[in-house]
Amino acid sequence: MNPTLTSSPRRVTIVDVARHAGVSVASASKVLRDAYGVSEEMKERVRASMATLNYRPNAAARGLRGKTFTLGVSVPDIDNEFVSALVEGILSVTEPTEYEVLIGPAGNASSSQAKVIDAMVDRQMDGLILFSPYGSADRIAEIAGSTPTVVVSRHGASRVYDTVVGDDMLGARLAVQHLIDQGHERIAYITHSDGDQTDPHSPQRVRERGYREAMSLLGLEARIDVVPSTWSRTGGTQAARTLLARDELPTAVFAGADVAAFGMMNVFGEHGTRLPADVSLVGYDNTSVAQLRPVSLTSVDQDASSLGEHAAQLLLERIDGRSEARHVVITPRLEVRATTGEPRRTDGAAD
């Protein structure tokens, strides 16, 4: 006996929506595209039919007509509280609109980031938000020439794309100044050593310059101590082990990012190194985990959610036709908590 063949349900089309709403296909298409000149009554009728019929527009077909109503967000990884808060800020702006946001974890290599970004461009996404992308400004400008683009957390203005950044020089100075005010002189900085180390516009290079400048201006140039690692829990783990292997531990560490600080906290705890009695620790990003009472990490807050909100708003404006570039700088602040204090004392004197 031959098996019974069943066909899959037919996909609902814009023709079905138009027939259900009692309007022309052209009118239904205008509502779908949010085109100019469509009455509110027409919009309500067509959208009600779309909901009733569970109509899902074909993204590829929409792309051929002009818009796909998709926005691409390229991030290095999703295992980072800061990235999560950034995305939440983006979604808070885009959710009331017809745009769908697609997240692309792009890794920390130029090649993997280029692959993800190229895939977004190839799929004709209406706009891109690139978080701290690697690659030259010329390459980013080339992308922005074909697709509206906003760059987040990469310094350096452009005439062809918008930027949103935290003031990383100021943020680093706030961290160092706080530690020096506590009496510290031997302050190590954990840098992020992945990617292009010659790119002066990356947040890791700008924060490092802020650290070096603050140490020099406060008379501690000879004490500058930059530890190469990565801004990840694994990187923080490795950095802590590097410091603990030294003959003498610095009295304070500026971890460069909360996620690295968390890795350091785990290793310090395993070795009985107390915070802040043995070493003070400062993070960057003021993530939700840093604010938990058991963690209570002193951290620089650059307001990730606000960065995301500004980026999404700028991108929507770009898509709507704004041509002049805009550049937003968020002023950071330091949140002092339990991981920083006076330096440990030896021989009855402050270190």
Side-chain angles (χ1 to χ4, degrees):
M1 182 175 179
N2 293 331
T4 301
L5 299 178
T6 58
S7 60
S8 57
R10 185 177 68 85
R11 184 186 184 97
V12 177
T13 68
I14 193 66
V15 175
D16 299 318
V17 172
R19 185 179 297 115
H20 187 275
V23 300
S24 69
V25 173
S27 295
S29 181
K30 282 186 177 182
V31 173
L32 177 63
R33 292 182 286 110
D34 198 21
Y36 176 77
V38 181
S39 68
E40 287 302 318
E41 187 272 337
M42 176 78 74
K43 289 180 182 179
E44 290 178 6
R45 285 171 59 191
V46 173
R47 288 171 180 167
S49 293
M50 288 178 179
T52 300
L53 299 175
N54 194 28
Y55 171 70
R56 295 178 60 81
N58 185 298
R62 295 177 84 179
L64 293 174
R65 292 194 299 270
K67 276 191 175 185
T68 62
F69 288 90
T70 56
L71 308 176
V73 179
S74 169
V75 298
D77 60 73
I78 54 177
D79 186 27
N80 187 323
E81 288 270 339
F82 177 80
V83 171
S84 298
L86 177 79
V87 170
E88 286 177 4
I90 294 171
L91 294 177
S92 71
V93 173
T94 60
E95 280 179 349
T97 74
E98 292 187 278
Y99 289 97
E100 296 292 336
V101 175
L102 303 180
I103 311 298
N108 285 300
S110 297
S111 58
S112 61
Q113 290 191 7
K115 182 178 180 180
V116 168
I117 294 170
D118 287 345
M120 291 178 172
V121 172
D122 291 344
R123 284 161 176 76
Q124 297 182 304
M125 293 187 177
D126 295 327
L128 302 177
I129 295 175
L130 310 181
F131 174 69
S132 191
Y134 295 150
S136 68
D138 288 342
R139 172 54 182 154
I140 299 173
E142 181 183 344
I143 294 166
S146 62
T147 306
T149 299
V150 177
V151 175
V152 179
S153 292
R154 186 181 191 275
H155 298 262
S158 168
R159 294 181 179 179
V160 294
Y161 57 82
D162 301 330
T163 62
V164 184
V165 297
D167 189 339
D168 287 319
M169 284 287 287
L170 174 59
R173 289 198 296 266
L174 290 173
V176 174
Q177 182 67 63
H178 168 65
L179 292 170
I180 290 175
D181 288 345
Q182 294 289 311
H184 295 276
E185 294 185 356
R186 291 190 292 109
I187 304 168
Y189 170 71
I190 310 303
T191 192
H192 182 76
S193 55
D194 271 1
D196 185 357
Q197 298 306 297
T198 65
D199 183 1
H201 303 297
S202 66
Q204 55 265 36
R205 295 285 78 78
V206 175
R207 288 177 202 173
E208 182 176 328
R209 289 201 299 274
Y211 160 79
R212 290 179 178 274
E213 179 183 283
M215 292 288 283
S216 298
L217 289 175
L218 295 166
L220 297 174
E221 186 172 5
R223 297 281 196 174
I224 289 175
D225 182 9
V226 176
V227 180
S229 189
T230 59
W231 288 346
S232 63
R233 282 185 173 83
T234 299
T237 296
Q238 294 171 343
R241 289 172 178 164
T242 296
L243 294 177
L244 288 169
R246 294 180 176 181
D247 292 335
E248 191 172 19
L249 187 70
T251 63
V253 178
F254 173 29
D258 282 3
V259 65
F262 299 149
M264 300 192 79
M265 293 176 80
N266 284 337
V267 174
F268 287 151
E270 291 170 358
H271 286 75
T273 303
R274 301 164 299 165
L275 301 176
D278 297 317
V279 61
S280 285
L281 181 63
V282 179
Y284 204 108
D285 293 332
N286 194 33
T287 55
S288 59
V289 172
Q291 300 170 45
L292 296 176
R293 186 178 297 274
V295 180
S296 194
L297 174 68
T298 295
S299 183
V300 178
D301 187 352
Q302 61 173 327
D303 198 347
S305 181
S306 181
L307 288 172
E309 291 169 7
H310 280 289
Q313 188 59 52
L314 290 176
L315 185 58
L316 294 178
E317 292 173 4
R318 274 279 182 182
I319 293 170
D320 284 343
R322 175 175 53 79
S323 58
E324 73 280 3
R326 290 191 58 196
H327 308 287
V328 176
V329 179
I330 304 295
T331 300
R333 67 181 189 276
L334 183 71
E335 292 290 342
V336 178
R337 299 191 180 93
T339 59
T340 53
E342 294 182 356
R344 61 183 180 273
R345 296 177 177 271
T346 57
D347 299 328
D351 192 87

